[in-house]
């Protein structure tokens, strides 16, 4: 069995969740502030900023509490993939040393809002990024867009763009994770989610049997709203983003979504600080991972649901 097959099998069948370690240029300063790194310790958008965030991510990835027993995969920013952890390329370190599937964030950020949504900016070098991901032993990619209002035209555009990029990624031999995030503060959240599910199901009908994708979705207002996606033969896994909820809130919501597992970022690193001792850092990270793992497992990933995969 090739590494690709082993990674795909793990992603489809194993218990666990995805660690989202992919803060990019826009979200990095906030992540560093929460971690206790002051704004005057680096220059925004410059190498010094990426050095700081890579140091933080390296501390998480090298922790003895961070491993494939409870973590399915880790989403990486491109700069992180191009760096090393303990002398190995990051993706290789994750898979070979930690048994954690490497995933690459490929989007370039969001356009301004129009028709109630924020589409992704163009990704002109997507093929090149996919080639680099494959060369690094990456299984999957992730790309995010945002829905703010229940505008059917905008939602259709979001889903169409996600699937168009997804098909380009699949053609390269990678598994795309489509992330059409729903703004949890939208007063129309429940209506948006129903419209989004309908559009996702319609677009899944257009895929060939051999085309496999994943979804990263906002925790829904209506429990088990995405059950049809979880059981769909083209869908490897459905994962949930924390989306601004606290870890406790996100875990409670997640535990009610059968077959859905976590892909948390802020909720995973909540409370971690640069000035912690290694013991304190590892203890809190262990608690975070344990709680998110338990919520993902409580959501009841039934092996029989994935028998066709």
């Amino acid at each position: 069995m090739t590494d690709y097959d082993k990674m795909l099998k793990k992603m489809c069948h194993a218990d666990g969740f995805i660690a989202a370690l992919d803060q990019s240029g826009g979200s990095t300063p906030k992540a560093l502030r929460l971690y206790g790194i002051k704004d005057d310790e680096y220059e925004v958008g410059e190498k010094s900023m990426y050095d700081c965030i890579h140091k933080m991510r390296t501390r998480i990835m090298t922790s003895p509490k961070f491993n494939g027993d409870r973590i399915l995969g880790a989403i990486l920013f491109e700069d992180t993939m191009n760096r090393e952890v303990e002398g190995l390329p990051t993706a290789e370190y994750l898979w070979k040393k930690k048994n954690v599937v490497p995933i690459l964030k490929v989007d370039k950020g969001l356009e301004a809002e129009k028709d109630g949504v924020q589409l992704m900016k163009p990704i002109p070098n997507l093929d090149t990024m996919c080639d680099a991901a494959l060369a690094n032993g990456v299984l999957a990619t992730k790309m995010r867009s945002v829905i703010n209002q229940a505008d059917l035209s905008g939602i259709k555009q979001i889903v169409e763009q996600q699937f168009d990029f997804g098909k380009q990624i699949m053609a390269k031999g990678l598994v795309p994770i489509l992330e059409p995030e729903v703004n949890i503060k939208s007063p129309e959240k429940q209506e948006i989610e129903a419209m989004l599910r309908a559009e996702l199901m319609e677009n899944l009908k257009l895929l060939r049997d051999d085309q496999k994708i994943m979804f990263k979705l906002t925790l829904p207002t209506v429990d088990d709203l995405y059950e049809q996606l979880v059981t769909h033969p083209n869908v490897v896994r459905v994962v949930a983003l924390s989306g601004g909820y606290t870890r406790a809130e996100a875990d409670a919501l997640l535990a009610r979504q059968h077959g859905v597992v976590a892909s948390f970022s802020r909720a995973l690193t909540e409370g971690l600080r640069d000035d912690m001792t290694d013991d304190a850092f590892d203890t809190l990270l262990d608690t975070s991972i344990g709680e998110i793992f338990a919520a993902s497992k409580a959501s009841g990933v039934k092996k029989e649901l994935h028998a066709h995969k």
Side-chain angles (χ1 to χ4, degrees):
M1 189 181 286
T2 65
D3 278 347
Y4 179 92
D5 291 333
K6 289 175 185 174
M7 286 190 281
L8 188 60
K9 183 179 180 182
K10 181 181 177 77
M11 192 58 68
C12 186
H13 294 286
D15 289 325
F17 67 95
I18 293 175
L21 304 176
D22 61 323
Q23 298 92 348
S24 54
S27 55
T28 296
K30 182 177 180 181
L32 287 173
R33 262 180 242 121
L34 290 171
Y35 185 55
I37 301 294
K38 296 174 182 174
D39 292 356
D40 61 5
E41 294 183 51
Y42 62 87
E43 281 191 65
V44 174
E46 299 298 325
K47 182 178 179 294
S48 57
M49 181 183 81
Y50 294 112
D51 288 345
C52 287
I53 198 72
H54 187 66
K55 187 177 177 184
M56 170 186 159
R57 290 167 178 155
T58 296
R59 193 177 186 190
I60 292 168
M61 289 185 282
T62 58
S63 168
K65 307 301 182 183
F66 185 96
N67 60 64
D69 292 345
R70 296 181 293 180
I71 296 170
L72 294 172
I75 305 172
L76 307 174
F77 180 51
E78 187 179 17
D79 178 79
T80 308
M81 183 185 75
N82 292 334
R83 290 177 181 248
E84 293 186 345
V85 176
E86 294 189 344
L88 290 174
T90 305
E92 183 179 348
Y93 174 83
L94 283 170
W95 181 241
K96 300 292 187 187
K97 299 295 184 182
K98 293 286 186 165
N99 194 32
V100 171
V101 176
I103 300 161
L104 178 65
K105 167 190 164 73
V106 294
D107 68 79
K108 302 293 187 183
L110 301 171
E111 299 277 19
E113 182 175 334
K114 184 182 178 184
D115 298 326
V117 302
Q118 288 177 274
L119 293 168
M120 290 177 279
K121 292 178 178 177
I123 315 175
N125 65 332
L126 181 57
D127 283 345
T128 304
M129 290 182 75
C130 288
D131 290 338
L134 287 166
N136 275 274
V138 166
L139 172 75
T141 64
K142 192 220 69 164
M143 50 197 172
R144 170 179 174 264
S145 43
V146 177
I147 305 170
N148 296 308
Q149 297 176 35
D151 184 309
L152 183 58
S153 171
I155 293 170
K156 283 180 178 288
Q157 291 173 59
I158 282 272
V159 174
E160 181 180 357
Q161 185 190 45
Q162 285 278 354
F163 272 85
D164 283 348
F165 281 140
K167 289 170 186 172
Q168 187 177 344
I169 290 161
M170 284 186 283
K172 282 289 187 177
L174 294 160
V175 178
I177 301 175
L178 313 187
E179 184 186 7
E181 177 180 346
V182 177
N183 185 340
I184 65 169
K185 295 179 181 177
S186 172
E188 302 172 308
K189 179 174 179 287
Q190 185 172 336
E191 186 181 354
I192 292 168
E193 288 167 344
M195 295 165 73
L196 175 62
R197 181 186 65 173
E199 289 303 313
L200 295 176
M201 290 300 297
E202 283 300 309
N203 278 266
L204 280 170
K205 292 177 183 177
L206 305 177
L207 296 183
R208 302 188 311 268
D209 289 349
D210 64 328
Q211 291 180 304
K212 304 297 183 185
I213 65 171
M214 294 174 61
F215 291 112
K216 180 169 177 173
L217 302 170
T218 302
L219 288 157
T221 300
V222 176
D223 289 346
D224 284 336
L225 182 71
Y226 297 123
E227 187 175 8
Q228 288 175 293
L229 300 178
V230 171
T231 58
H232 197 284
N234 289 97
V235 179
V236 174
R237 208 79 183 244
V238 177
V239 302
L241 58 114
S242 47
Y245 292 117
T246 65
R247 184 167 65 247
E249 290 169 335
D251 287 345
L253 286 167
L254 174 64
R256 304 202 301 265
Q257 314 308 320
H258 291 88
V260 179
V261 301
S263 176
F264 292 172
S265 175
R266 276 167 291 181
L268 172 64
T269 58
E270 187 178 299
L272 296 177
R273 301 276 297 180
D274 177 57
D275 58 5
M276 282 178 159
T277 65
D278 286 345
D279 283 348
F281 184 93
D282 290 340
T283 298
L284 181 56
L285 182 61
D286 184 44
T287 299
S288 300
I289 291 171
E291 290 175 357
I292 298 168
F293 177 79
S296 295
K297 201 166 183 181
S299 67
V301 181
K302 302 179 182 67
K303 295 295 186 284
E304 64 268 22
L305 294 183
H306 304 289
H308 56 270
K309 302 172 188 178

